[in-house]
Amino acid sequence: VDTKVSWLKCRVSFLVIPLIIRSVSLGLLPFTSDLAASVALLVLNNVMWATGFAGGIMTLNYELDPFNSPMMFGIYNGFGQAIGFLEPLIRSGITSVEEKEEGYREEYERRWRWFFVLCGGLGLVGVLSVVV
């Protein structure tokens, strides 16, 4: 056992810090106009998501309660399946614009920009639910 930081705080930091960086990169993505910066933010987003899974979500539940961790994984999987079903419906509701409207392109970009900001904000809410 480390005398400076407990294993639980260390594990939670390996979960929380990458997910905060991921949420911020999603929020910054629509405001970049450079292709290289956008690709870098997407790569950073994916690396932080993988780090969050490897450093915390998959292992923390088993370490805290090995007997009930399969049930927790089932609950997480259920949330993931529900989000995977609902996300395309919500995304199309937020970002769809009739092409016949005047200023279609600007409105389309504005809606996608706010969709990414919304995704980043919801990610930060998720991180706060882990911390609090």
Side-chain angles (χ1 to χ4, degrees), residues 2-132:
D2 194 356
T3 58
K4 294 184 180 181
V5 178
S6 71
W7 69 270
L8 181 60
K9 288 181 182 178
C10 182
R11 291 302 239 175
V12 169
S13 67
F14 276 119
L15 171 65
V16 169
I17 293 171
L19 294 181
I20 289 173
I21 294 171
R22 178 185 176 271
S23 298
V24 170
S25 70
L26 271 178
L28 291 176
L29 184 63
F31 300 105
T32 59
S33 58
D34 185 29
L35 179 63
S38 299
V39 170
L41 283 172
L42 285 173
V43 169
L44 178 67
N45 179 26
N46 289 331
V47 167
M48 290 299 111
W49 186 246
T51 304
F53 268 101
I57 292 174
M58 294 300 177
T59 57
L60 188 61
N61 286 327
Y62 181 74
E63 291 174 355
L64 288 176
D65 191 5
F67 297 110
N68 293 321
S69 66
M71 182 183 65
M72 293 302 295
F73 287 140
I75 292 171
Y76 291 158
N77 192 25
F79 283 130
Q81 293 295 325
I83 291 168
F85 175 75
L86 292 174
E87 187 274 333
L89 299 172
I90 295 170
R91 182 190 62 215
S92 67
I94 293 174
T95 61
S96 63
V97 178
E98 291 290 327
E99 292 185 31
K100 299 173 185 172
E101 292 181 19
E102 188 176 324
Y104 159 76
R105 186 71 181 164
E106 291 82 17
E107 179 65 19
Y108 186 71
E109 288 178 5
R110 185 185 71 80
R111 288 183 181 209
W112 269 104
R113 182 175 296 119
W114 284 109
F115 179 73
F116 276 102
V117 170
L118 176 68
C119 289
L122 288 176
L124 287 176
V125 169
V127 170
L128 287 175
S129 71
V130 171
V131 174
V132 176

